């Protein structure tokens, strides 16, 4: 099993202290967390893309390029690239450049994205968002694979024998499809034989497990090898301590602060108590053994081989956050790496051979 640390770069009031960091401090925190993830042995670091409050993750290529310059091993993920909002030509240019600068460490998780404010900002409607997403992905993947592209597009100017530069380092880059609640993203992933990443952070396990089962069925329908399926999954929260009592005590102020924030927004919490949150959500909060057992319970339903944790402290102190990640890497990750298989493809930087031609990421 492989492990990612992911941030959506939420920029909001601290759930415990009520203080909001300056924007530059928040970005610095993201960079520091990426360096910590590489130091501790995580396999990937992901940056989300949102174009509305309270997020400041509107430019993941810029953030990931800065991280690429300061790291050497860790793979760099988007989480997710909102292709329904983007020009696929411009998106390709940004990410192909990033892939070169990172030495072939880029992986993309793509998706429709959500949120009324960002749809309005980019003039995308609920009626056309899925069609935009599918078209953008088709054009994006063709540009990555073909030197010249002709495409009769609906949502951007048509392409005729278009050349887009730079040509890629990884040929092609690996693309995952982020899936939360809709079958459209699952269908797109299965059709193209791409891996799926479940955004299983809001509800109980059942709706996500159903979508993953549907993905596996559609994968076979499209004639792909079942042994080549790769699924990733997320966590609604993370905190590891030596005992469950310590974990609950340390995490309770964070949970209660987030709960109060949801209620101020008029939202009815799915998990009204910390104990319910720990039991029924995808959150990994407890002792190392409890976390191992819970990941296995989810693996029985998902069959996933990649797991993401929160890269941010999210209300914990910096010391609590680091100690929990260290405990994960020392007592949890080795067991899960041994007991749950890795994805069925090569993982790690893609090194260019002496000819200068790139090595495919999915050879």
């Amino acid at each position: 099993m492989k492990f990612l640390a992911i941030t959506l770069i939420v920029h909001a009031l601290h759930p415990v202290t009520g203080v909001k960091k300056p924007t530059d401090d928040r970005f610095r925190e993201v960079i520091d967390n990426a360096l910590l993830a590489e130091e501790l042995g995580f396999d990937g670091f992901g940056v989300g893309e949102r174009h509305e409050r309270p997020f400041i993750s509107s430019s993941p290529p810029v953030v990931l390029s800065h991280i690429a310059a300061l790291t050497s091993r860790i793979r760099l993920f988007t989480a997710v690239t909102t292709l329904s909002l983007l020009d696929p030509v411009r998106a390709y240019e940004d990410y192909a450049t990033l892939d070169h600068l990172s030495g072939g460490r880029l992986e993309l998780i793509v998706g429709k994205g959500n949120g009324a404010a960002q749809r309005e900002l980019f003039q995308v409607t609920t009626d056309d968002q899925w069609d935009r997403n599918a078209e953008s992905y088709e054009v994006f993947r063709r540009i990555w694979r073909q030197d010249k592209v002709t495409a009769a597009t609906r949502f951007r100017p048509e392409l005729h024998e278009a050349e887009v530069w730079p040509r890629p380092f990884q040929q092609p880059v690996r693309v995952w499809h982020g899936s939360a609640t809709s079958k459209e993203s699952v269908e797109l992933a299965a059709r193209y034989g791409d891996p799926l990443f479940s955004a299983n952070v809001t509800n109980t396990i059942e709706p996500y497990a159903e979508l993953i089962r549907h993905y596996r069925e559609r994968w076979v329908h499209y004639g792909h090898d079942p042994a080549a399926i790769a699924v990733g999954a997320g966590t609604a929260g993370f905190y590891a301590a030596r005992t469950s009592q310590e974990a609950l005590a340390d995490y309770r102020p964070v949970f209660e602060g987030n709960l109060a924030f949801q209620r101020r927004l008029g939202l009815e919490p799915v998990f009204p108590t910390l104990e319910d949150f720990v039991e029924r959500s995808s959150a990994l909060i407890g002792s190392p053994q409890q976390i191992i057992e819970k990941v296995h319970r989810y693996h029985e339903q998902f069959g996933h081989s990649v797991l993401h944790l929160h890269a941010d402290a999210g209300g914990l102190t910096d010391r609590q956050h680091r100690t929990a990640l260290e405990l994960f890497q020392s007592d949890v990750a080795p067991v899960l790496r041994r007991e749950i298989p890795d994805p069925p493809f090569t993982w790690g930087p893609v090194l260019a051979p002496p000819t200068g031609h790139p090595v495919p990421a999915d050879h």
Side-chain angles (χ1 to χ4, degrees):
M1 182 170 244
K2 300 295 186 182
F3 303 102
L4 315 181
I6 285 180
T7 177
L8 301 182
I9 321 187
V10 175
H11 191 221
L13 300 178
H14 191 285
V16 179
T17 67
V19 176
K20 185 176 181 180
K21 290 187 174 183
T23 301
D24 56 337
D25 285 354
R26 183 69 183 97
F27 278 123
R28 183 68 251 173
E29 184 177 53
V30 170
I31 301 304
D32 289 344
N33 285 334
L35 297 177
L36 177 62
E38 173 154 286
E39 174 191 338
L40 296 181
F42 279 84
D43 303 292
F45 188 87
V47 173
E49 180 180 332
R50 298 290 189 277
H51 301 271
E52 59 187 335
R53 190 184 303 174
F55 307 98
I56 53 173
S57 51
S58 58
S59 187
V62 175
V63 178
L64 288 171
S65 290
H66 190 74
I67 293 170
L70 299 174
T71 58
S72 60
R73 177 195 58 79
I74 200 164
R75 289 193 70 79
L76 306 172
F77 282 73
T78 62
V80 300
T81 296
T82 53
L83 279 180
S84 67
L85 309 179
L86 304 178
D87 181 335
V89 175
R90 192 71 184 95
Y92 167 83
E93 292 172 335
D94 285 342
Y95 284 114
T97 301
L98 168 56
D99 198 36
H100 277 280
L101 293 174
S102 67
R105 288 187 282 146
L106 176 65
E107 299 214 17
L108 295 170
I109 307 176
V110 302
K112 168 186 67 66
N114 53 33
Q118 63 182 16
R119 282 199 304 269
E120 182 177 344
L121 185 66
F122 288 90
Q123 297 185 330
V124 173
T125 71
T126 54
D127 293 330
D128 67 18
Q129 58 187 349
W130 286 110
D131 290 339
R132 286 177 178 272
N133 185 64
E135 177 183 289
S136 290
Y137 181 56
E138 167 65 20
V139 172
F140 182 89
R141 77 189 307 275
R142 286 179 61 192
I143 294 173
W144 209 286
R145 289 163 170 79
Q146 301 171 16
D147 290 339
K148 295 183 179 181
V149 173
T150 296
T153 50
R154 291 174 55 199
F155 300 108
R156 60 144 288 124
E158 293 186 1
L159 299 173
H160 180 72
E161 292 294 291
E163 299 181 17
V164 188
W165 300 93
R167 296 314 300 148
F169 190 92
Q170 295 184 81
Q171 294 183 326
V173 69
R174 185 158 45 243
V175 177
W176 302 68
H177 294 254
S179 165
T181 57
S182 301
K183 289 185 177 179
E184 285 88 347
S185 55
V186 168
E187 180 74 17
L188 199 62
R191 183 193 315 163
Y192 287 111
D194 294 330
L196 185 75
F197 215 106
S198 177
N200 60 310
V201 298
T202 304
N203 295 300
T204 57
I205 192 172
E206 289 81 9
Y208 306 112
E210 181 180 351
L211 277 175
I212 292 171
R213 287 193 295 269
H214 181 71
Y215 167 68
R216 293 178 182 276
E217 292 168 1
R218 299 302 291 171
W219 178 281
V220 173
H221 168 81
Y222 285 111
H224 305 302
D225 180 3
I229 286 177
V231 174
T235 51
F238 168 73
Y239 186 66
R242 287 296 176 187
T243 67
S244 59
Q245 294 84 357
E246 181 185 352
L248 289 173
D250 288 348
Y251 199 82
R252 192 174 300 279
V254 177
F255 176 81
E256 291 179 349
N258 288 329
L259 192 69
F261 177 72
Q262 291 179 50
R263 287 179 168 151
R264 285 196 300 272
L265 294 178
L267 302 175
E268 185 62 32
V270 177
F271 309 103
T273 67
L274 175 58
E275 287 72 18
D276 187 43
F277 182 62
V278 171
E279 176 62 28
R280 295 195 304 123
S281 81
S282 60
L284 299 176
I285 299 168
S287 68
Q289 187 58 39
Q290 288 174 314
I291 290 173
I292 290 168
E293 291 172 357
K294 189 166 187 179
V295 172
H296 271 289
R297 290 202 304 274
Y298 269 73
H299 179 72
E300 289 173 4
Q301 296 289 318
F302 292 175
H304 58 305
S305 53
V306 179
L307 176 72
H308 90 57
L309 303 181
H310 289 200
D312 299 313
L316 299 165
T317 68
D318 290 343
R319 179 177 292 278
Q320 286 173 328
H321 180 53
R322 181 183 180 109
T323 300
L325 292 177
E326 289 174 340
L327 186 58
F328 180 88
Q329 287 292 2
S330 64
D331 288 32
V332 177
V335 177
L336 295 176
R337 290 186 193 278
R338 183 172 64 249
E339 296 178 349
I340 297 178
D342 282 344
F345 40 67
T346 302
W347 190 285
V350 177
L351 303 178
T355 60
H357 296 296
V359 177
D362 52 354
H363 60 287

